[in-house]
Amino acid sequence: MGSPTIDLLKMELPVEEGRLHLNGDGVKTTGLVLIDVVNGFCTAPKVADMQISEMVEESVRIARLFCEKKWPVFAFLDTHHPDIPEHPYPPHCILGTDEANLVPALQWLENDPNATLRRKDCIDGFLGSIDKHDGSNVFVDWVRNNDIKLLLVVGICTDICVLDFVSSALSARNRGFLSPLEDVVVYSRACATYDLPLHIANTLKDTIAHPQELMHHIGLYMAQGRGAKVVSEVSFGA
């Protein structure tokens, strides 16, 4: 799909991107959610990817600033048992492999007291936070315990795991399950998705094309349509 076609679609499906400025008043009210910034999605691809590289860079910047301010951070890590496939996707981020670990630039989060890490074995992190034994939800508890009113969401893939999580969080908020949460904000430059051109998809069995720029935009558009705010800039200061 050529860029003129994508530009036309962006005109027909516009994403209104604003700016988010966070200051000292955000203590205990603003939380950061990082979605699947793991090696399997970010460092495993053999070809350099500018969109993914920028996503990692911005995610690391935001995470460091949150932790410096001692604001709460919740990180999802896509992790799958080798004998339990996640259809329709091929095996990925297998438990016990480096693919399921945070990218090197974020591994410090494992020892940061402000960070909560959750391995998930499904696309939607909200569902992946549910304890299979007692039905409790560690993400819901995190929101309540930290009195979070605004969620800033970053990660990969914009149109898959990010979108599903955002949609579930907003639905839970609307049903009153995520009090005191008020707003969910998606930071577009700190989100990314993968690229699978049509000519390559046609050579693979049971695989559909996934043009990166278009699907990233559609993910943001759908998140906006579900009630999320989309921003292209996040700044900190007094």
Side-chain angles (χ1 to χ4, degrees), residues 92-138:
H92 61 279
C93 300
I94 301 300
L95 179 66
T97 70
D98 200 41
E99 277 198 2
N101 294 329
L102 290 168
V103 296
L106 277 176
Q107 288 180 3
W108 54 271
L109 277 176
E110 296 175 359
N111 300 309
D112 194 288
N114 299 293
T116 299
L117 274 59
R118 175 73 176 187
R119 292 192 179 276
K120 66 179 181 69
D121 58 359
C122 60
I123 294 172
D124 186 343
F126 189 91
L127 294 179
S129 296
I130 299 175
D131 188 287
K132 297 178 181 179
H133 301 290
D134 62 17
S136 62
N137 189 306
V138 66

Side-chain angles (χ1 to χ4, degrees), residues 23-42:
N23 55 35
D25 293 335
V27 176
K28 294 186 179 180
T29 64
T30 303
L32 173 66
V33 175
L34 297 115
I35 298 180
D36 298 341
V37 190
V38 296
N39 289 311
F41 296 145
C42 304

